[in-house]
PDB file of all heavy atoms in Angstrom:
ATOM      1  N   MET A   4      -9.087  -2.744 -13.493  1.00 98.00           N
ATOM      2  CA  MET A   4      -9.286  -1.665 -12.505  1.00 98.00           C
ATOM      3  C   MET A   4      -8.073  -0.720 -12.453  1.00 98.00           C
ATOM      4  O   MET A   4      -8.161   0.479 -12.423  1.00 98.00           O
ATOM      5  CB  MET A   4      -9.622  -2.235 -11.121  1.00 98.00           C
ATOM      6  CG  MET A   4      -9.720  -1.215  -9.995  1.00 98.00           C
ATOM      7  SD  MET A   4      -8.205  -0.848  -9.145  1.00 98.00           S
ATOM      8  CE  MET A   4      -7.728  -2.513  -8.537  1.00 98.00           C
ATOM      9  N   LYS A   5      -6.901  -1.376 -12.240  1.00 97.00           N
ATOM     10  CA  LYS A   5      -5.630  -0.562 -12.158  1.00 97.00           C
ATOM     11  C   LYS A   5      -5.430   0.304 -13.310  1.00 97.00           C
ATOM     12  O   LYS A   5      -4.911   1.392 -13.205  1.00 97.00           O
ATOM     13  CB  LYS A   5      -4.493  -1.593 -11.953  1.00 97.00           C
ATOM     14  CG  LYS A   5      -3.093  -0.972 -11.968  1.00 97.00           C
ATOM     15  CD  LYS A   5      -2.069  -2.110 -11.919  1.00 97.00           C
ATOM     16  CE  LYS A   5      -0.691  -1.569 -12.288  1.00 97.00           C
ATOM     17  NZ  LYS A   5      -0.502  -1.182 -13.694  1.00 97.00           N
ATOM     18  N   ASP A   6      -5.673  -0.173 -14.509  1.00 97.00           N
ATOM     19  CA  ASP A   6      -5.366   0.603 -15.765  1.00 97.00           C
ATOM     20  C   ASP A   6      -6.464   1.651 -16.120  1.00 97.00           C
ATOM     21  O   ASP A   6      -6.265   2.322 -17.177  1.00 97.00           O
ATOM     22  CB  ASP A   6      -5.187  -0.452 -16.816  1.00 97.00           C
ATOM     23  CG  ASP A   6      -3.961  -1.301 -16.673  1.00 97.00           C
ATOM     24  OD1 ASP A   6      -3.067  -0.907 -15.871  1.00 97.00           O
ATOM     25  OD2 ASP A   6      -3.925  -2.399 -17.233  1.00 97.00           O
ATOM     26  N   ASN A   7      -7.538   1.622 -15.356  1.00 98.00           N
ATOM     27  CA  ASN A   7      -8.558   2.634 -15.697  1.00 98.00           C
ATOM     28  C   ASN A   7      -8.060   3.989 -15.441  1.00 98.00           C
ATOM     29  O   ASN A   7      -7.328   4.298 -14.422  1.00 98.00           O
ATOM     30  CB  ASN A   7      -9.816   2.390 -14.838  1.00 98.00           C
ATOM     31  CG  ASN A   7     -10.988   3.183 -15.255  1.00 98.00           C
ATOM     32  OD1 ASN A   7     -11.039   4.405 -15.123  1.00 98.00           O
ATOM     33  ND2 ASN A   7     -12.009   2.476 -15.768  1.00 98.00           N
ATOM     34  N   PRO A   8      -8.213   4.963 -16.285  1.00 97.00           N
ATOM     35  CA  PRO A   8      -7.711   6.371 -16.098  1.00 97.00           C
ATOM     36  C   PRO A   8      -8.256   7.066 -14.780  1.00 97.00           C
ATOM     37  O   PRO A   8      -7.591   8.025 -14.367  1.00 97.00           O
ATOM     38  CB  PRO A   8      -8.140   7.065 -17.361  1.00 97.00           C
ATOM     39  CG  PRO A   8      -9.229   6.336 -18.007  1.00 97.00           C
ATOM     40  CD  PRO A   8      -8.943   4.901 -17.624  1.00 97.00           C
ATOM     41  N   LEU A   9      -9.372   6.587 -14.283  1.00 97.00           N
ATOM     42  CA  LEU A   9      -9.839   7.216 -13.080  1.00 97.00           C
ATOM     43  C   LEU A   9      -9.165   6.685 -11.765  1.00 97.00           C
ATOM     44  O   LEU A   9      -9.367   7.137 -10.690  1.00 97.00           O
ATOM     45  CB  LEU A   9     -11.398   6.943 -12.884  1.00 97.00           C
ATOM     46  CG  LEU A   9     -12.256   7.762 -13.915  1.00 97.00           C
ATOM     47  CD1 LEU A   9     -13.695   7.286 -13.773  1.00 97.00           C
ATOM     48  CD2 LEU A   9     -12.102   9.241 -13.639  1.00 97.00           C
ATOM     49  N   THR A  10      -8.404   5.574 -11.967  1.00 97.00           N
ATOM     50  CA  THR A  10      -7.727   4.905 -10.878  1.00 97.00           C
ATOM     51  C   THR A  10      -6.298   5.375 -10.550  1.00 97.00           C
ATOM     52  O   THR A  10      -5.525   5.515 -11.495  1.00 97.00           O
ATOM     53  CB  THR A  10      -7.727   3.349 -11.034  1.00 97.00           C
ATOM     54  OG1 THR A  10      -8.985   2.840 -11.241  1.00 97.00           O
ATOM     55  CG2 THR A  10      -7.106   2.616  -9.868  1.00 97.00           C
ATOM     56  N   THR A  11      -6.105   5.574  -9.262  1.00 97.00           N
ATOM     57  CA  THR A  11      -4.690   5.792  -8.846  1.00 97.00           C
ATOM     58  C   THR A  11      -4.333   4.631  -7.866  1.00 97.00           C
ATOM     59  O   THR A  11      -5.062   4.410  -6.887  1.00 97.00           O
ATOM     60  CB  THR A  11      -4.590   7.137  -8.065  1.00 97.00           C
ATOM     61  OG1 THR A  11      -4.852   8.186  -8.981  1.00 97.00           O
ATOM     62  CG2 THR A  11      -3.060   7.308  -7.582  1.00 97.00           C
ATOM     63  N   LEU A  12      -3.338   3.914  -8.188  1.00 97.00           N
ATOM     64  CA  LEU A  12      -2.893   2.732  -7.327  1.00 97.00           C
ATOM     65  C   LEU A  12      -1.716   3.202  -6.492  1.00 97.00           C
ATOM     66  O   LEU A  12      -0.705   3.673  -7.035  1.00 97.00           O
ATOM     67  CB  LEU A  12      -2.488   1.529  -8.178  1.00 97.00           C
ATOM     68  CG  LEU A  12      -1.990   0.282  -7.415  1.00 97.00           C
ATOM     69  CD1 LEU A  12      -3.183  -0.278  -6.569  1.00 97.00           C
ATOM     70  CD2 LEU A  12      -1.406  -0.650  -8.354  1.00 97.00           C
ATOM     71  N   LEU A  13      -1.853   3.018  -5.172  1.00 96.00           N
ATOM     72  CA  LEU A  13      -0.826   3.380  -4.217  1.00 96.00           C
ATOM     73  C   LEU A  13      -0.348   2.122  -3.476  1.00 96.00           C
ATOM     74  O   LEU A  13      -1.160   1.315  -3.010  1.00 96.00           O
ATOM     75  CB  LEU A  13      -1.256   4.391  -3.275  1.00 96.00           C
ATOM     76  CG  LEU A  13      -1.815   5.673  -3.871  1.00 96.00           C
ATOM     77  CD1 LEU A  13      -2.708   6.467  -2.964  1.00 96.00           C
ATOM     78  CD2 LEU A  13      -0.630   6.550  -4.252  1.00 96.00           C
ATOM     79  N   ILE A  14       0.943   1.934  -3.377  1.00 95.00           N
ATOM     80  CA  ILE A  14       1.518   0.611  -2.863  1.00 95.00           C
ATOM     81  C   ILE A  14       2.247   1.017  -1.561  1.00 95.00           C
ATOM     82  O   ILE A  14       3.145   1.827  -1.526  1.00 95.00           O
ATOM     83  CB  ILE A  14       2.495  -0.015  -3.844  1.00 95.00           C
ATOM     84  CG1 ILE A  14       1.728  -0.342  -5.134  1.00 95.00           C
ATOM     85  CG2 ILE A  14       3.122  -1.232  -3.286  1.00 95.00           C
ATOM     86  CD1 ILE A  14       2.607  -0.788  -6.267  1.00 95.00           C
ATOM     87  N   MET A  15       1.789   0.426  -0.405  1.00 93.00           N
ATOM     88  CA  MET A  15       2.164   0.834   0.891  1.00 93.00           C
ATOM     89  C   MET A  15       3.697   0.855   1.080  1.00 93.00           C
ATOM     90  O   MET A  15       4.210   1.925   1.653  1.00 93.00           O
ATOM     91  CB  MET A  15       1.447  -0.031   1.956  1.00 93.00           C
ATOM     92  CG  MET A  15       1.561   0.534   3.362  1.00 93.00           C
ATOM     93  SD  MET A  15       0.469  -0.197   4.558  1.00 93.00           S
ATOM     94  CE  MET A  15       1.190  -1.895   4.657  1.00 93.00           C
ATOM     95  N   PRO A  16       4.457  -0.158   0.740  1.00 91.00           N
ATOM     96  CA  PRO A  16       5.878  -0.104   0.992  1.00 91.00           C
ATOM     97  C   PRO A  16       6.614   1.002   0.223  1.00 91.00           C
ATOM     98  O   PRO A  16       7.621   1.555   0.685  1.00 91.00           O
ATOM     99  CB  PRO A  16       6.363  -1.484   0.439  1.00 91.00           C
ATOM    100  CG  PRO A  16       5.212  -2.417   0.516  1.00 91.00           C
ATOM    101  CD  PRO A  16       4.008  -1.456   0.199  1.00 91.00           C
ATOM    102  N   GLN A  17       5.999   1.423  -0.883  1.00 91.00           N
ATOM    103  CA  GLN A  17       6.621   2.460  -1.702  1.00 91.00           C
ATOM    104  C   GLN A  17       6.185   3.851  -1.116  1.00 91.00           C
ATOM    105  O   GLN A  17       7.061   4.807  -1.114  1.00 91.00           O
ATOM    106  CB  GLN A  17       6.179   2.404  -3.189  1.00 91.00           C
ATOM    107  CG  GLN A  17       6.621   1.190  -3.886  1.00 91.00           C
ATOM    108  CD  GLN A  17       6.126   1.199  -5.363  1.00 91.00           C
ATOM    109  OE1 GLN A  17       5.624   2.222  -5.821  1.00 91.00           O
ATOM    110  NE2 GLN A  17       6.139   0.092  -6.020  1.00 91.00           N
ATOM    111  N   GLU A  18       5.026   3.965  -0.526  1.00 89.00           N
ATOM    112  CA  GLU A  18       4.562   5.238  -0.020  1.00 89.00           C
ATOM    113  C   GLU A  18       5.001   5.537   1.374  1.00 89.00           C
ATOM    114  O   GLU A  18       5.280   6.640   1.848  1.00 89.00           O
ATOM    115  CB  GLU A  18       2.929   5.296  -0.137  1.00 89.00           C
ATOM    116  CG  GLU A  18       2.419   5.156  -1.541  1.00 89.00           C
ATOM    117  CD  GLU A  18       2.840   6.327  -2.451  1.00 89.00           C
ATOM    118  OE1 GLU A  18       2.943   7.473  -1.959  1.00 89.00           O
ATOM    119  OE2 GLU A  18       3.047   6.045  -3.645  1.00 89.00           O
ATOM    120  N   LEU A  19       4.996   4.484   2.242  1.00 86.00           N
ATOM    121  CA  LEU A  19       5.241   4.592   3.660  1.00 86.00           C
ATOM    122  C   LEU A  19       6.619   3.993   4.156  1.00 86.00           C
ATOM    123  O   LEU A  19       6.950   4.071   5.241  1.00 86.00           O
ATOM    124  CB  LEU A  19       4.086   4.043   4.474  1.00 86.00           C
ATOM    125  CG  LEU A  19       2.706   4.475   4.258  1.00 86.00           C
ATOM    126  CD1 LEU A  19       1.686   3.826   5.161  1.00 86.00           C
ATOM    127  CD2 LEU A  19       2.624   6.006   4.285  1.00 86.00           C
ATOM    128  N   GLY A  20       7.189   3.228   3.206  1.00 86.00           N
ATOM    129  CA  GLY A  20       8.341   2.520   3.596  1.00 86.00           C
ATOM    130  C   GLY A  20       8.012   1.069   4.157  1.00 86.00           C
ATOM    131  O   GLY A  20       6.847   0.757   4.290  1.00 86.00           O
ATOM    132  N   PRO A  21       9.005   0.294   4.466  1.00 87.00           N
ATOM    133  CA  PRO A  21       8.684  -1.078   4.961  1.00 87.00           C
ATOM    134  C   PRO A  21       7.842  -1.041   6.216  1.00 87.00           C
ATOM    135  O   PRO A  21       8.063  -0.205   6.986  1.00 87.00           O
ATOM    136  CB  PRO A  21      10.144  -1.671   5.202  1.00 87.00           C
ATOM    137  CG  PRO A  21      11.044  -0.806   4.380  1.00 87.00           C
ATOM    138  CD  PRO A  21      10.471   0.564   4.358  1.00 87.00           C
ATOM    139  N   THR A  22       7.032  -2.106   6.357  1.00 86.00           N
ATOM    140  CA  THR A  22       6.262  -2.267   7.571  1.00 86.00           C
ATOM    141  C   THR A  22       7.192  -2.570   8.726  1.00 86.00           C
ATOM    142  O   THR A  22       8.068  -3.433   8.665  1.00 86.00           O
ATOM    143  CB  THR A  22       5.198  -3.317   7.443  1.00 86.00           C
ATOM    144  OG1 THR A  22       4.334  -3.036   6.363  1.00 86.00           O
ATOM    145  CG2 THR A  22       4.453  -3.488   8.655  1.00 86.00           C
ATOM    146  N   PRO A  23       7.097  -1.745   9.845  1.00 85.00           N
ATOM    147  CA  PRO A  23       7.971  -2.113  11.036  1.00 85.00           C
ATOM    148  C   PRO A  23       7.801  -3.489  11.451  1.00 85.00           C
ATOM    149  O   PRO A  23       6.759  -4.097  11.248  1.00 85.00           O
ATOM    150  CB  PRO A  23       7.473  -1.053  12.026  1.00 85.00           C
ATOM    151  CG  PRO A  23       6.916   0.065  11.270  1.00 85.00           C
ATOM    152  CD  PRO A  23       6.288  -0.572  10.070  1.00 85.00           C
ATOM    153  N   ASP A  24       8.890  -4.048  12.032  1.00 79.00           N
ATOM    154  CA  ASP A  24       8.912  -5.507  12.406  1.00 79.00           C
ATOM    155  C   ASP A  24       7.683  -5.950  13.270  1.00 79.00           C
ATOM    156  O   ASP A  24       7.143  -7.019  13.011  1.00 79.00           O
ATOM    157  CB  ASP A  24      10.221  -5.845  13.180  1.00 79.00           C
ATOM    158  CG  ASP A  24      11.406  -5.663  12.270  1.00 79.00           C
ATOM    159  OD1 ASP A  24      11.247  -5.742  11.053  1.00 79.00           O
ATOM    160  OD2 ASP A  24      12.478  -5.532  12.777  1.00 79.00           O
ATOM    161  N   LYS A  25       7.267  -5.055  14.244  1.00 79.00           N
ATOM    162  CA  LYS A  25       6.244  -5.565  15.114  1.00 79.00           C
ATOM    163  C   LYS A  25       4.835  -5.069  14.681  1.00 79.00           C
ATOM    164  O   LYS A  25       3.907  -5.244  15.435  1.00 79.00           O
ATOM    165  CB  LYS A  25       6.542  -5.051  16.562  1.00 79.00           C
ATOM    166  CG  LYS A  25       7.852  -5.699  17.148  1.00 79.00           C
ATOM    167  CD  LYS A  25       7.951  -5.277  18.593  1.00 79.00           C
ATOM    168  CE  LYS A  25       9.225  -5.949  19.127  1.00 79.00           C
ATOM    169  NZ  LYS A  25       9.428  -5.532  20.615  1.00 79.00           N
ATOM    170  N   ALA A  26       4.804  -4.404  13.511  1.00 84.00           N
ATOM    171  CA  ALA A  26       3.438  -3.936  13.030  1.00 84.00           C
ATOM    172  C   ALA A  26       2.804  -4.923  12.097  1.00 84.00           C
ATOM    173  O   ALA A  26       3.552  -5.657  11.381  1.00 84.00           O
ATOM    174  CB  ALA A  26       3.665  -2.587  12.330  1.00 84.00           C
ATOM    175  N   ASN A  27       1.503  -4.975  12.066  1.00 89.00           N
ATOM    176  CA  ASN A  27       0.743  -5.840  11.240  1.00 89.00           C
ATOM    177  C   ASN A  27       0.451  -5.107   9.920  1.00 89.00           C
ATOM    178  O   ASN A  27      -0.137  -3.962   9.952  1.00 89.00           O
ATOM    179  CB  ASN A  27      -0.516  -6.379  11.830  1.00 89.00           C
ATOM    180  CG  ASN A  27      -1.342  -7.281  10.949  1.00 89.00           C
ATOM    181  OD1 ASN A  27      -1.949  -6.827   9.978  1.00 89.00           O
ATOM    182  ND2 ASN A  27      -1.258  -8.554  11.255  1.00 89.00           N
ATOM    183  N   PRO A  28       0.824  -5.626   8.732  1.00 91.00           N
ATOM    184  CA  PRO A  28       0.610  -4.789   7.528  1.00 91.00           C
ATOM    185  C   PRO A  28      -0.873  -4.552   7.196  1.00 91.00           C
ATOM    186  O   PRO A  28      -1.109  -3.519   6.608  1.00 91.00           O
ATOM    187  CB  PRO A  28       1.262  -5.708   6.478  1.00 91.00           C
ATOM    188  CG  PRO A  28       1.350  -7.084   6.986  1.00 91.00           C
ATOM    189  CD  PRO A  28       1.447  -6.978   8.529  1.00 91.00           C
ATOM    190  N   TYR A  29      -1.749  -5.401   7.623  1.00 91.00           N
ATOM    191  CA  TYR A  29      -3.159  -5.191   7.324  1.00 91.00           C
ATOM    192  C   TYR A  29      -3.715  -4.113   8.254  1.00 91.00           C
ATOM    193  O   TYR A  29      -4.582  -3.312   7.843  1.00 91.00           O
ATOM    194  CB  TYR A  29      -4.005  -6.486   7.468  1.00 91.00           C
ATOM    195  CG  TYR A  29      -3.462  -7.566   6.434  1.00 91.00           C
ATOM    196  CD1 TYR A  29      -2.670  -8.604   6.878  1.00 91.00           C
ATOM    197  CD2 TYR A  29      -3.762  -7.481   5.136  1.00 91.00           C
ATOM    198  CE1 TYR A  29      -2.214  -9.591   5.940  1.00 91.00           C
ATOM    199  CE2 TYR A  29      -3.389  -8.371   4.147  1.00 91.00           C
ATOM    200  CZ  TYR A  29      -2.571  -9.477   4.627  1.00 91.00           C
ATOM    201  OH  TYR A  29      -2.141 -10.429   3.656  1.00 91.00           O
ATOM    202  N   VAL A  30      -3.369  -4.097   9.516  1.00 89.00           N
ATOM    203  CA  VAL A  30      -3.783  -3.026  10.463  1.00 89.00           C
ATOM    204  C   VAL A  30      -3.197  -1.751   9.868  1.00 89.00           C
ATOM    205  O   VAL A  30      -3.882  -0.687   9.906  1.00 89.00           O
ATOM    206  CB  VAL A  30      -3.321  -3.361  11.799  1.00 89.00           C
ATOM    207  CG1 VAL A  30      -3.542  -2.109  12.755  1.00 89.00           C
ATOM    208  CG2 VAL A  30      -3.925  -4.517  12.405  1.00 89.00           C
ATOM    209  N   ARG A  31      -1.958  -1.782   9.548  1.00 90.00           N
ATOM    210  CA  ARG A  31      -1.299  -0.505   9.076  1.00 90.00           C
ATOM    211  C   ARG A  31      -2.008  -0.009   7.784  1.00 90.00           C
ATOM    212  O   ARG A  31      -2.239   1.174   7.620  1.00 90.00           O
ATOM    213  CB  ARG A  31       0.227  -0.798   8.719  1.00 90.00           C
ATOM    214  CG  ARG A  31       0.997   0.310   8.348  1.00 90.00           C
ATOM    215  CD  ARG A  31       2.414  -0.118   7.878  1.00 90.00           C
ATOM    216  NE  ARG A  31       3.333   0.987   7.772  1.00 90.00           N
ATOM    217  CZ  ARG A  31       4.404   1.083   6.959  1.00 90.00           C
ATOM    218  NH1 ARG A  31       4.589   0.114   6.102  1.00 90.00           N
ATOM    219  NH2 ARG A  31       5.254   2.088   6.966  1.00 90.00           N
ATOM    220  N   SER A  32      -2.323  -0.955   6.896  1.00 91.00           N
ATOM    221  CA  SER A  32      -3.069  -0.582   5.709  1.00 91.00           C
ATOM    222  C   SER A  32      -4.441   0.035   5.943  1.00 91.00           C
ATOM    223  O   SER A  32      -4.810   1.025   5.371  1.00 91.00           O
ATOM    224  CB  SER A  32      -3.207  -1.772   4.722  1.00 91.00           C
ATOM    225  OG  SER A  32      -3.816  -1.446   3.581  1.00 91.00           O
TER     226      SER A  32
END
């Protein structure tokens, strides 16, 4: 899926920075 030319993969820590200490990464995502 990742390597399909129609796919763009975005990784949250790279796009938004580290998840704040008191935030839940799944809620944030």
Side-chain angles (χ1 to χ4, degrees):
M4 173 275 297
K5 169 184 170 294
D6 294 338
N7 190 293
L9 290 173
T10 300
T11 300
L12 179 66
L13 301 162
I14 300 170
M15 190 167 72
Q17 296 180 13
E18 301 295 327
L19 304 184
T22 299
D24 291 341
K25 295 185 179 180
N27 181 283
Y29 297 105
V30 171
R31 188 189 194 208
S32 182

